[in-house]
Structures are given as structure tokens and as C-alpha cells.
Amino acid sequence: MARVPALIITPHSSGFVPFNILADMLGEGVYNPDICKERLDFIFNEGDPYTDALFYTQDASHVHAQISRFVVDLNRRRDEGGLNGVLKVTDFSGKPLYQDNFRFSEKRIEERLTRFYDPFHATLDRMLAKPDILFFVDGHSMVPAGPLIGPDSGKPRPAFTLITGGDKEGRQISEQDHLSIPTELAQHLRDKLELYFSDLIKESDVPEQILINEPFALGGTIQRLSNPYYRSHKPGFGLEFNRALYLEPDENGLDKPLKDRIPLLNMRFQRFMQDISKDFEMLQPSND
């Protein structure tokens, strides 16, 4: 298999929460293994579970999150506030994550960003600067319907969403914004996703749609790494798998993997990546 000149990023694949932060969430319950396991299982489920496996690409480069998005959301601007910002105090249904008396201090905020956010993005900077990496993929999964805290609350979501920072056809929205890949390439990648995944989509219960920039048009990582003013910028895109393609509810109200589905989806994704690598090679400036 030929080398894929890509950097694969999964900023929400981890469910790890350090003990001190888990103590802020659970109080005395942090000393009860059953309570801890229940919370950690829930937090892993609320992230983008198994995306490190879904987006694995042989002979590509990979950077995976080492902590949960509920510790620090690595796919946000460093200073992004709000309920769904870089530091979250609720889950996506609006339920508090912390004890009633918990408050973020400036010291706590800066400690988390310095300890977790900054090293992750410094790693992305170093990796993307390598000349043998031509593009990046920002890998995610999305729940089948928009959650309370989301841009599309209650609405069904497509099988896949390709994210490039533009409109639903991949076009630039305004002169102040930038596309992470050209419009024609975005539409071409949508067609390639159709080629490699349409039969699996038809076998599932998800809508038979592969959309561009709906319901998500931009992510903090994509925006930063593809920004022409960023020193090491490269073209790249975000990709959201609908979780119903590979997960089903279990008896505990969480999700569990469908039998053999993750390796099958990953095999198709690896073929997709092999195929599109030549398209990004063609984007490289000529030496003539």
C-alpha cells in the first residue's frame, strides 16, 4: 500500500479524565469505582468514540487526543467561550458536569489550556510543517440527531458531512473567510465518499445523504491549520461519520459498536484516502 501523505487528527476520540478533574465533577463519589466507571463510560460515549479506529490510515501520520473533550475541547479556539466552547460545564443535553459549588477560576482555566490544549496544537504545528505531509483530515463522528447544544437541535443528520469552511456546495461564503480546500475538490471528495460508502449507507438506518458543510461548516482545528496566514498551513478537510453507521444503543443507554462495522468502515476509509491522495498531490505548486 502506497504511503498516504496526510496528517489524521482525531480531537475527540479520548474519554480520559484526570483524577483531579474527575474529583471536581464527582466530589466524594470519585472514590467509588462504580461511580467513576459510570461517569467515564458516559463521557467516552459523549465524545467521538472509536474515531481513532475509524480514521486509521496505514502509512499516514496520526495525532489523537489524549484527554476527553469535556476536559478541554481541542477543536475550539483557545479563547472560545459559551456552553460548547473550549471548556464545557455541561454535557450536550445541558446537564451539569460538575458539583454545584464548582467554578472555573482564571488559574484553573489557564492550567488546563497550558497542560492539554497547547501541547496538542504544538504537535499539530510540528507535524504539519513536515514536507512529506501534503494535507490533513480532521476526523469526527456525530450523533444521528442534533443535540440540545448544537447548531441543528432535534434535526436528523446525514450519513457523512464534509467540512471545508464554505457553503453547502463548498463555495466561499465571504471575503473574510477562507476555504480549507477548493470548491471543485470538495465536490469531488463528496463524490468519492459516495463511491466508497453508498452501499453501506443503504444498509443502515441513516439518511442517504453526504453533505458539504451541513450541519457543520467549520471547526477550530480546520480553520487554523488551513488559514493562509498560518505559517505551516496546508489544505485539509473535516469529516463527520454519522454514529448510527457503526454504533447501536445498549441496555445502559449508551452506545456499543455494531458487529464488524468499524473495521469495514475503516477499510473503506483507507481506500478513500489512497484514492484522494493524488488529488492533493496535484494541488502542490509546480517547481517549473
Side-chain angles (χ1 to χ4, degrees), residues 12 24 54-55 57 84 126 136 139 149 158 163 184 199 202 237 251 255 268 288:
H12 297 153
D24 287 336
L54 281 175
F55 287 91
T57 302
N84 201 8
R126 289 194 302 271
F136 67 87
I149 299 175
I163 305 170
E184 296 77 11
D199 61 324
K202 288 182 172 66
F237 58 92
E251 63 278 3
D255 288 327
R268 299 293 183 88
D288 295 341

Side-chain angles (χ1 to χ4, degrees), residues 247-267:
L247 299 177
E248 63 180 351
D250 68 11
E251 63 278 3
N252 298 315
L254 303 177
D255 288 327
K256 62 181 180 181
L258 290 162
K259 181 177 172 57
D260 299 329
R261 188 50 59 112
I262 291 174
L264 178 57
L265 287 167
N266 177 248
M267 180 182 67

Side-chain angles (χ1 to χ4, degrees), residues 2-281:
R3 184 183 181 279
V4 175
L7 176 63
I8 310 293
I9 308 162
T10 58
H12 297 153
S13 53
S14 176
F16 177 70
V17 180
F19 185 88
N20 63 303
I21 295 175
L22 200 59
D24 287 336
M25 293 180 174
L26 298 177
E28 292 296 320
V30 77
Y31 299 108
N32 184 316
D34 293 332
I35 292 175
C36 285
K37 183 179 185 307
E38 182 180 5
R39 176 57 63 92
L40 291 172
D41 287 348
F42 173 78
I43 281 176
F44 176 69
N45 192 77
E46 284 279 287
D48 292 355
Y50 309 104
T51 46
D52 49 354
L54 281 175
F55 287 91
Y56 167 70
T57 302
Q58 185 176 352
D59 290 328
S61 297
H62 299 80
V63 178
H64 305 302
Q66 300 299 308
I67 45 89
S68 164
R69 70 189 305 173
F70 295 108
V71 175
V72 172
D73 195 326
L74 303 167
N75 194 42
R76 299 291 184 268
R77 297 189 316 274
R78 195 181 191 276
D79 62 350
E80 187 166 342
L83 287 177
N84 201 8
V86 67
L87 297 177
K88 307 181 200 306
V89 294
T90 73
D91 64 20
F92 290 112
S93 69
K95 182 179 178 181
L97 291 167
Y98 294 92
Q99 297 285 292
D100 290 343
N101 61 350
F102 175 81
R103 296 293 182 273
F104 270 119
S105 65
E106 290 299 321
K107 178 176 181 290
R108 274 175 162 167
I109 291 171
E110 191 57 31
E111 280 180 351
R112 284 207 202 179
L113 295 173
T114 302
R115 174 69 182 85
F116 302 113
Y117 187 96
D118 294 343
F120 181 84
H121 282 274
T123 299
L124 296 186
D125 292 345
R126 289 194 302 271
M127 296 294 290
L128 209 63
K130 295 182 177 181
D132 60 339
I133 290 179
L134 303 184
F135 68 105
F136 67 87
V137 178
D138 188 34
H140 298 267
S141 67
M142 55 187 171
V143 292
L148 179 64
I149 299 175
D152 58 339
S153 180
K155 296 180 180 178
R157 286 173 165 174
F160 289 90
T161 293
L162 183 74
I163 305 170
T164 69
D167 67 10
K168 63 183 181 180
E169 292 300 327
R171 296 179 296 240
Q172 188 170 351
I173 296 174
S174 71
E175 292 183 359
Q176 288 71 42
D177 300 313
H178 70 273
L179 296 173
S180 65
I181 55 174
T183 300
E184 296 77 11
L185 180 54
Q187 296 173 358
H188 174 70
L189 296 186
R190 177 178 57 188
D191 294 342
K192 289 294 184 180
L193 289 167
E194 175 92 24
L195 174 66
Y196 286 99
F197 292 99
S198 61
D199 61 324
L200 300 182
I201 295 171
K202 288 182 172 66
E203 293 173 4
S204 73
D205 295 327
V206 304
E208 293 183 20
Q209 296 173 299
I210 298 175
L211 301 183
I212 300 176
N213 297 320
E214 291 185 15
F216 306 106
L218 197 59
T221 302
I222 303 166
Q223 184 179 38
R224 188 174 80 83
L225 299 185
S226 65
N227 190 329
Y229 293 102
Y230 163 57
R231 182 180 59 185
S232 300
H233 77 275
K234 298 278 174 73
F237 58 92
L239 187 62
E240 296 265 4
F241 278 76
N242 190 309
R243 286 167 53 135
L245 289 169
Y246 68 99
L247 299 177
E248 63 180 351
D250 68 11
E251 63 278 3
N252 298 315
L254 303 177
D255 288 327
K256 62 181 180 181
L258 290 162
K259 181 177 172 57
D260 299 329
R261 188 50 59 112
I262 291 174
L264 178 57
L265 287 167
N266 177 248
M267 180 182 67
R268 299 293 183 88
F269 178 75
Q270 292 203 56
R271 291 178 182 172
F272 165 78
M273 289 294 291
Q274 283 281 332
D275 193 348
I276 69 170
S277 290
K278 62 181 180 295
D279 298 305
F280 285 91
E281 291 169 359

